[in-house]
Amino acid sequence: MNKLRSNTTANLQAKETLTLSVIWVIFFFRAKSMHKNEVEAASWNRKSAEQGNSIAQSHLAFCLFYGKGVKKDRPAAIQWYEKSAKQGNSTSQHNLGHCLFYGEGIAKNKEAGTNWYKKAVEQGNVDAQVDYARCLERGKGVQKDPKGAFEWYEKAATQGNAKALHKLGKFYKRGFGVPSDKQKAKDYKKQAHTAGYSSQCCVVS
């Protein structure tokens, strides 16, 4: 199972929250091994989140989910992910989908989880593309659609995603959602390993 993602690259939308979010990134990602800095970073980030910044809300949810600088509180994390996701933050949409799909911090609801994956997918979130493709591949939370799964894995693969490249190799080998092609299967398998895929580091097989 994949871990949730921390939103560190999206653009800030509210000018007045820029400084607070930058402070959070500096504290957490440059000195995250120091508990004191994690606490202070989370405090500044909460201020930004409470002002309505979707990126700060996503950061705060991540902190609450894993207990980074704050007491772990997954139900609260879900609430912040939902606030952020409803503002269109693709990382929060993906993470909220993950929580719903697997029942982490909230009652399991694969259909609702898949719907949030799809929202993130439509914004180009590559991690969501892989997860949504897996749902289509297996018919979990959505009707099984091998061809659709192949297409979303392909989109993620064009962005260099190792899991997606590996999946394309398996699809071509099996002739699943696409005509069988042993050479393409070998080529994608090689690309996946070059991109860093291994059975140890990648949960999705």
Side-chain angles (χ1 to χ4, degrees):
M1 188 186 304
N2 297 331
K3 289 186 177 181
L4 302 188
R5 300 296 192 272
S6 177
N7 191 333
T8 60
T9 58
N11 292 324
L12 292 171
Q13 299 173 354
K15 193 172 183 179
E16 65 274 15
T17 61
L18 176 61
T19 301
L20 294 178
S21 292
V22 169
I23 287 173
W24 188 90
V25 172
I26 291 172
F27 271 116
F28 186 74
F29 288 96
R30 290 188 180 177
K32 60 182 180 181
S33 62
M34 299 173 65
H35 179 69
K36 180 179 179 180
N37 285 332
E38 283 188 355
V39 172
E40 189 168 355
S43 176
W44 280 105
N45 190 64
R46 182 180 288 275
K47 295 178 188 295
S48 183
E50 290 173 346
Q51 290 178 24
N53 183 272
S54 67
I55 298 171
Q57 289 170 347
S58 185
H59 285 316
L60 179 58
F62 181 84
C63 290
L64 288 164
F65 194 89
Y66 289 111
K68 298 288 187 179
V70 294
K71 183 179 179 180
K72 183 185 291 187
D73 186 342
R74 293 194 167 180
I78 299 300
Q79 292 177 10
W80 283 109
Y81 272 136
E82 189 170 11
K83 288 177 185 290
S84 178
K86 286 181 177 179
Q87 292 193 65
N89 185 289
S90 69
T91 300
S92 290
Q93 289 172 342
H94 176 229
N95 287 344
L96 182 58
H98 173 97
C99 292
L100 283 160
F101 193 88
Y102 292 103
E104 296 188 7
I106 192 171
K108 183 183 292 187
N109 187 327
K110 291 185 181 295
E111 289 76 16
T114 302
N115 286 337
W116 279 112
Y117 282 156
K118 187 176 181 181
K119 291 180 185 294
V121 155
E122 291 168 349
Q123 296 194 67
N125 186 298
V126 65
D127 294 313
Q129 288 172 353
V130 172
D131 285 337
Y132 186 60
R134 187 174 69 253
C135 292
L136 291 170
E137 176 189 358
R138 300 177 179 178
K140 300 293 186 180
V142 67
Q143 185 175 349
K144 191 172 184 177
D145 182 359
K147 184 178 179 180
F150 176 86
E151 291 174 352
W152 283 112
Y153 279 133
E154 190 172 41
K155 288 180 184 294
T158 60
Q159 299 176 67
N161 186 278
K163 295 177 186 177
L165 288 164
H166 174 74
K167 277 294 190 177
L168 290 181
K170 293 188 72 173
F171 272 43
Y172 274 116
K173 183 177 181 179
R174 296 164 54 197
F176 186 71
V178 67
S180 177
D181 189 319
K182 302 302 182 183
Q183 185 56 52
K184 285 186 177 180
K186 291 179 180 179
D187 290 343
Y188 275 114
K189 182 179 180 180
K190 183 177 180 180
Q191 290 180 49
H193 282 284
T194 299
Y197 179 86
S198 73
S199 58
Q200 288 74 35
C201 74
C202 297
V203 177
V204 180
S205 62

